Amino acid sequence: MSARRQMIPVKSPDDVARMREACRIVAATTKEVLRLARPGVTTGALDACAARLISAAGATPTFKGYRGFPGSICVSINDELIHGIPGPRVICPGDIVSVDIGVTYRGMIGDMARTVCVGAVPGDVAALVAGVREALEGACRMLRAGICVGDLSHALQGYADAHGYGVVRDYVGHGVGAALHEPPQIPNFGARGSGMVIPAGATLAIEPMFTLGDYRVRVLGDKWTVVTHDGAPCAHYENTVLVTDGGCEVLTVDPA
Ligand code: MG
C-alpha cells in the first residue's frame, strides 16, 4: 500500500460545511426514526420514515445500494449487531433496537448509530446500551490532533474491559467524508501509541460495538445481518466527529 493511500484525509472548510449539513440531516432523521421505534412497528416502517426524511432534506441515504445493501438504513435488534436489513420484523417490548444511518449531502457523508431500549429491558442490557455511549463520549474527551488511532482504540477497549463487555473485532470505526469508509480504520481495541497520528481536519466515524458475551460474531444467510456468535445482546453507538487542534467536535449531535 502506498504512503498516499495510508494518509488520513484532511477536510477543507467547504468539505466540513457540507459534512455539517449531512450530519445535521442524519441526526434529525435518527431522532425521528427512534421516536417511531415502538412495539408493533416494523423495521421496514423505520426505513421508509428515514428514506422520506432524507429525501425531503435534499440528501440521499448512503447505505442504499452500497455493495448491494437493499435498505436505506440498517436496523439491528437484540443479538443483531449491525447491518440488519429493514423489513417485516415487528419491534417487541423488551427489544433493544440499533439504528445506523448514513446520509450523503452534496458529496459528503455523515454516519451515525444509536441503540435504544424499547420498554423495560434487564438491567445488564440497559447498562450495555448506556455503556457504548459512555465509551464513545470518553474516547471523544481525549481525542485531539496529534494523538494516535491506537490511543482512541485503547480508551474504547479500556471501557469495555472494565465492564466485562465483549469487544467486537471484525468491524471497526473509520474515517468518513467523500467516501463512507476512508482511512484510518479505528478498531475498538488496541494499544496506546499505535497506529496513525490523527491530524486536525480529519473526520472520523467512531463506533464502539460491545456485547454481553463473547466478542465473536457471524453473518446470517441474508449475507448482511451480523449477529453475536453466542446469541448475547449487543449494542452499537456511532458519531461522526471533526478533529481539531484542541479536541474534537461531534457533528452528529442529537437534536434537542
Ligand atoms: Mg460507520
Side-chain angles (χ1 to χ4, degrees):
M1 189 181 285
S2 70
R4 181 182 175 80
R5 283 185 64 192
Q6 290 183 353
M7 278 173 42
I8 298 177
V10 169
K11 272 64 179 187
S12 71
D14 179 63
D15 292 339
V16 171
R18 286 179 289 143
M19 281 194 76
R20 279 185 198 288
E21 184 61 8
C23 289
R24 189 195 64 75
I25 295 166
V26 80
T29 301
T30 299
K31 181 184 179 184
E32 291 307 312
V33 168
L34 293 179
R35 199 202 298 272
L36 194 60
R38 293 186 181 147
V41 175
T42 66
T43 57
L46 304 189
D47 189 73
C49 170
R52 179 171 49 78
L53 292 173
I54 293 167
S55 172
T60 55
T62 312
F63 303 162
K64 181 93 181 180
Y66 181 81
R67 297 185 180 171
F69 186 76
S72 291
I73 66 174
C74 302
V75 184
S76 310
I77 298 179
N78 298 336
D79 65 323
E80 298 174 350
L81 176 69
I82 50 171
H83 302 171
I85 300 172
R89 181 168 180 173
V90 175
I91 295 170
C92 295
D95 280 345
I96 57 170
V97 177
S98 169
V99 170
D100 192 351
I101 307 182
V103 159
T104 306
Y105 177 77
R106 293 181 54 207
M108 298 302 279
I109 294 166
D111 191 5
M112 172 176 190
R114 295 287 183 267
T115 301
V116 295
C117 303
V118 177
V121 305
D124 56 348
V125 176
L128 173 74
V129 168
V132 280
R133 175 180 191 149
E134 277 184 16
L136 179 55
E137 288 173 349
C140 286
R141 277 195 291 279
M142 52 102 69
L143 175 55
R144 64 184 187 284
I147 73 164
C148 302
V149 172
D151 297 332
L152 271 183
S153 300
H154 184 264
L156 293 161
Q157 182 184 3
Y159 186 97
D161 288 350
H163 293 81
Y165 298 145
V167 179
V168 173
R169 294 170 182 275
D170 290 358
Y171 300 90
V172 299
H174 50 93
V176 62
L180 179 58
H181 296 114
E182 297 182 343
Q185 291 197 339
I186 307 170
N188 294 307
F189 55 93
R192 200 178 274 153
S194 67
M196 286 187 267
V197 173
I198 302 169
T203 44
L204 308 176
I206 309 171
E207 45 182 329
M209 299 172 217
F210 298 157
T211 82
L212 278 188
D214 184 289
Y215 69 90
R216 287 173 297 175
V217 295
R218 64 189 176 92
V219 180
L220 294 184
D222 64 15
K223 303 276 203 297
W224 280 104
T225 312
V226 176
V227 299
T228 53
H229 199 269
D230 57 8
C234 50
H236 175 212
Y237 194 92
E238 177 181 31
N239 277 329
T240 296
V241 307
L242 169 68
V243 180
T244 62
D245 283 319
C248 77
E249 180 188 350
V250 176
L251 300 181
T252 46
V253 179
D254 295 301

